[in-house]
C-alpha cells in the first residue's frame, strides 16, 4: 500500500514546521501551514480515496473547488508535527459548492483544520490570480518582526525600506515590499479578507503585534521569504541594542544596483528610479 503519510509532501511540511519551531516562531500551538496539491500529486496514493468526514469551512471557497490542501490542525503544536503527522496534519479536498472540505487523510484523533484556514484559502485564491505556480501559505510569529510592529509606524513603504536596507538579500528576496494590515482579531474571516487584499500586491503580510503571512510556489520558498524578513528585522533589533547609531547604510543607489544585478524589479513606489524621494 502506498500511504500518503509517507509522501514527500507530508515530510516537507513536517520538516518546515519543525524548523519554524526551532527558530522560536511557533510557541505552543502558534502557526499554521497549508500546501495546495493537485489531482496528479495525490493520484498514486491508496489511502486518499475515501471521505472520512466532511467539514464546514464557514467561507465560500468555490474558486478552489476540487483543490486539495495539506493543512496543519487547529490547536496543534508545530514541534510535534514531525513525530505525529497523521494526527497534526490533514489532507482535505474542497467540495464543489465551496462551502465544505472532505477529509481524506490525517487528523486521526479528531482534529480539524487550523482556525486560520479560511484566511489561508482567501490568500490562496488571491495569489493564484497573480501567480499560477503558487502553492503555499504559511503563518507564524517571528519575534523581531512582531517587535518591529510596536516600535515603527505601520507604514508599508517605510518598513519595507527599513528592511531592504538591513541586508543585501532583502530587496532581492522581496522586491515588491511588505504588506501590512491594521491590528485585527485573528481567526476571523475579516482578518482573512484584509490579508488577501494585500496578497494582490505582496507575498508577505505582517499582522501587527501577532505575526506574519508568507506565501510561495513551494514550502521552501514561503519559509525562506519569512526567514529573510525576520533576519532583516533581527539585524535592526541588534542595531537598536547597540545604541541605534547607524554610521553607514545601504544607499538607494546601491539598492538599484542590487536590483539590476539580480534581475528583480523593486517596487517603484518605495524605490524611485532616481535618487529623489
Amino acid at each position: 500500500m502506498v500511504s500518503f503519510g509517507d509522501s514527500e509532501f507530508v515530510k516537507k511540511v513536517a520538516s518546515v514546521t519543525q524548523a519554524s519551531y526551532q527558530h522560536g516562531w511557533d510557541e505552543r500551538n502558534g502557526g499554521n501551514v497549508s500546501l495546495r496539491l493537485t489531482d496528479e500529486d495525490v493520484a498514486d496514493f491508496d489511502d486518499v480515496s475515501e471521505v472520512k468526514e466532511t467539514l464546514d469551512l464557514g467561507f465560500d471557497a468555490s474558486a478552489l473547488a476540487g483543490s486539495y490542501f495539506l493543512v496543519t490542525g487547529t490547536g496543534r503544536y508545530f514541534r510535534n508535527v514531525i513525530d505525529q503527522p497523521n494526527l497534526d496534519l490533514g489532507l482535505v479536498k474542497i467540495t464543489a459548492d465551496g462551502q465544505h472540505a472532505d477529509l481524506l487523510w490525517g487528523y486521526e484523533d479528531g482534529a480539524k483544520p487550523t482556525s486560520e484556514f479560511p484566511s489561508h484559502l482567501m490568500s490562496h485564491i488571491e495569489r493564484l490570480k497573480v501567480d499560477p505556480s503558487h502553492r503555499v501559505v504559511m503563518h507564524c510569529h517571528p519575534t523581531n518582526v512582531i517587535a518591529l510592529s510596536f516600535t515603527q509606524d505601520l507604514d508599508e513603504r517605510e518598513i519595507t525600506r527599513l528592511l531592504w536596507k538591513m541586508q543585501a538579500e532583502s530587496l532581492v528576496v522581496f522586491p515588491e515590499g511588505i504588506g501590512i494590515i491594521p491590528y485585527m482579531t485573528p481567526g476571523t474571516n475579516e482578518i482573512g479578507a484584509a490579508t488577501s487584499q494585500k496578497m494582490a500586491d505582496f507575498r508577505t503580510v505582517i499582522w501587527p503585534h501577532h505575526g506574519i503571512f508568507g506565501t510561495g510556489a513551494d514550502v521552501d520558498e514561503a519559509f525562506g521569504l519569512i526567514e529573510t524578513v525576520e533576519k532583516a528585522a533581527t539585524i535592526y533589533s541588534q542595531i537598536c541594542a547597540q545604541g541605534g547609531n547607524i554610521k553607514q547604510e545601504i544607499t538607494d543607489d546601491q539598492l538599484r544596483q542590487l536590483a539590476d544585478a539580480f534581475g528583480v524589479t523593486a517596487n517603484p513606489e518605495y524605490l524611485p528610479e532616481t535618487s529623489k524621494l
Side-chain angles (χ1 to χ4, degrees):
M1 178 177 180
V2 181
S3 173
F4 184 76
D6 296 326
S7 71
E8 289 303 312
F9 307 114
V10 169
K11 291 176 182 177
K12 198 67 180 180
V13 172
S15 174
V16 82
T17 52
Q18 181 65 201
S20 191
Y21 169 72
Q22 292 293 342
H23 274 315
W25 301 347
D26 298 278
E27 69 291 338
R28 200 172 180 270
N29 62 323
N32 28 82
V33 179
S34 61
L35 167 63
R36 181 178 62 86
L37 300 176
T38 66
D39 288 338
E40 183 179 359
D41 291 330
V42 304
D44 294 333
F45 299 102
D46 300 324
D47 54 352
V48 297
S49 58
E50 179 183 346
V51 176
K52 302 180 184 303
E53 183 180 0
T54 297
L55 308 168
D56 183 16
L57 291 176
F59 163 70
D60 181 6
S62 54
L64 296 168
S67 295
Y68 298 85
F69 290 92
L70 180 61
V71 57
T72 51
T74 186
R76 298 310 171 105
Y77 292 31
F78 266 26
R79 64 181 171 85
N80 292 336
V81 176
I82 200 165
D83 294 321
Q84 52 184 41
N86 60 314
L87 304 183
D88 297 338
L89 299 178
L91 177 69
V92 302
K93 183 179 183 180
I94 307 301
T95 57
D97 66 3
Q99 301 294 327
H100 304 87
D102 289 334
L103 175 63
L104 305 176
W105 175 89
Y107 300 154
E108 291 182 3
D109 61 354
K112 308 292 183 185
T114 170
S115 62
E116 304 289 3
F117 195 34
S119 292
H120 281 241
L121 294 174
M122 292 178 202
S123 287
H124 279 290
I125 290 170
E126 200 59 49
R127 287 307 304 170
L128 280 167
K129 296 176 185 176
V130 180
D131 179 5
S133 71
H134 163 82
R135 286 218 183 194
V136 178
V137 171
M138 181 173 182
H139 168 58
C140 56
H141 307 156
T143 305
N144 292 283
V145 170
I146 295 171
L148 201 70
S149 74
F150 285 98
T151 63
Q152 305 298 305
D153 292 334
L154 299 178
D155 182 294
E156 290 169 342
R157 180 182 186 276
E158 294 307 311
I159 285 184
T160 292
R161 285 177 53 81
L162 171 64
L163 296 176
W164 277 353
K165 287 173 175 281
M166 288 298 102
Q167 58 178 352
E169 285 78 7
S170 288
L171 182 136
V172 176
V173 175
F174 50 96
E176 75 277 17
I178 303 292
I180 305 172
I181 62 171
Y183 177 81
M184 301 176 72
T185 301
T188 63
N189 285 3
E190 289 74 19
I191 196 170
T195 303
S196 67
Q197 288 174 7
K198 294 293 182 181
M199 288 291 177
D201 299 309
F202 306 103
R203 291 169 299 136
T204 315
V205 178
I206 292 175
W207 286 8
H209 323 324
H210 181 146
I212 197 169
F213 256 53
T215 65
D218 56 40
V219 171
D220 285 333
E221 182 179 295
F223 181 81
L225 178 60
I226 295 171
E227 195 172 33
T228 305
V229 174
E230 171 66 0
K231 180 63 175 288
T234 302
I235 293 169
Y236 181 70
S237 293
Q238 288 296 306
I239 290 170
C240 291
Q242 294 178 29
N245 182 21
I246 297 177
K247 294 188 176 182
Q248 48 273 325
E249 67 171 7
I250 299 174
T251 68
D252 281 13
D253 283 340
Q254 289 169 336
L255 288 176
R256 295 186 192 96
Q257 292 166 12
L258 274 170
D260 289 343
F262 286 89
V264 299
T265 301
N267 189 327
E269 294 184 11
Y270 303 161
L271 185 67
E273 293 182 3
T274 68
S275 59
K276 293 182 180 179
L277 297 179

